[in-house]
Amino acid sequence: MRRFFLDLAAEVRRMAKTAGLVAAAAAALAIVASLTADPLAFFFRVVGLVCTALLVLSVVVTVLTFRRARAIRPAPLAIAIVTSLVCTGFNLAFAARLPAVSTFVLAGGAGLLVGAAWSLTMLLFVDGDEVRGRGTLWYLVVWALTLAANQLTVLVTGRTPAIATILMLVGAGLAVSNSGGLILRVRATERRRVANHREAVATAE
């Protein structure tokens, strides 16, 4: 538990630094935009270009590195769950019109199912005293299908408020289920590691 809170504090500090950099970049862009003929249009045009570039970059990085082993810790996953729920709740609180209950159930349920399946595609193993994970081909397939479905839906239907809400609910369900599933799998892997260690010690004695 102590390690969990240490990881949690480290993740919060990392997110705070990232937020600070984003805020500084936004402030600098706002200053530059104020010097143009149409500051608001310029600002959002640049933001759109940056978001597109980041999306393309994330696709390239994911394809190239999904098989690379990395530490899988519960604290960052827990933060991902909380962040997703808070952002979703914030958006719904200020929505002009709340979606129907059936939309909540279907969109959220679809996200939960996909997220649960996605969490099972990560290959977990013990390296020293920590659990590490490596993406499999199925991990990449689920990720690619999810991304393609999102982009295709927006392209075909347009990003209307109703479609944006549905995609947000699906995304929230996916994030919660995927992160939650990985937390459970990490805990189970850690328990097996401890059990195997105790068994090895007992056998040696």
Side-chain angles (χ1 to χ4, degrees), residues 150 153-155 157-169:
N150 186 301
T153 300
V154 173
L155 182 64
T157 64
R159 198 171 184 84
T160 63
I163 294 300
T165 300
I166 291 174
L167 293 176
M168 179 181 64
L169 292 173

Side-chain angles (χ1 to χ4, degrees), residues 74-141:
L77 294 172
I79 289 179
I81 292 175
V82 173
T83 301
S84 178
L85 292 176
V86 169
C87 290
T88 302
F90 182 83
N91 279 280
L92 290 175
F94 288 93
R97 181 180 179 183
L98 290 177
V101 175
S102 59
T103 302
F104 271 102
V105 174
L106 292 175
L112 289 172
L113 289 175
V114 174
W118 198 19
S119 71
L120 297 175
T121 61
M122 178 75 72
L123 176 64
L124 300 184
F125 59 95
V126 176
D127 183 16
D129 62 345
E130 70 177 1
V131 177
R132 299 175 70 83
R134 180 184 292 112
T136 62
L137 182 59
W138 281 112
Y139 174 90
L140 185 65
V141 168

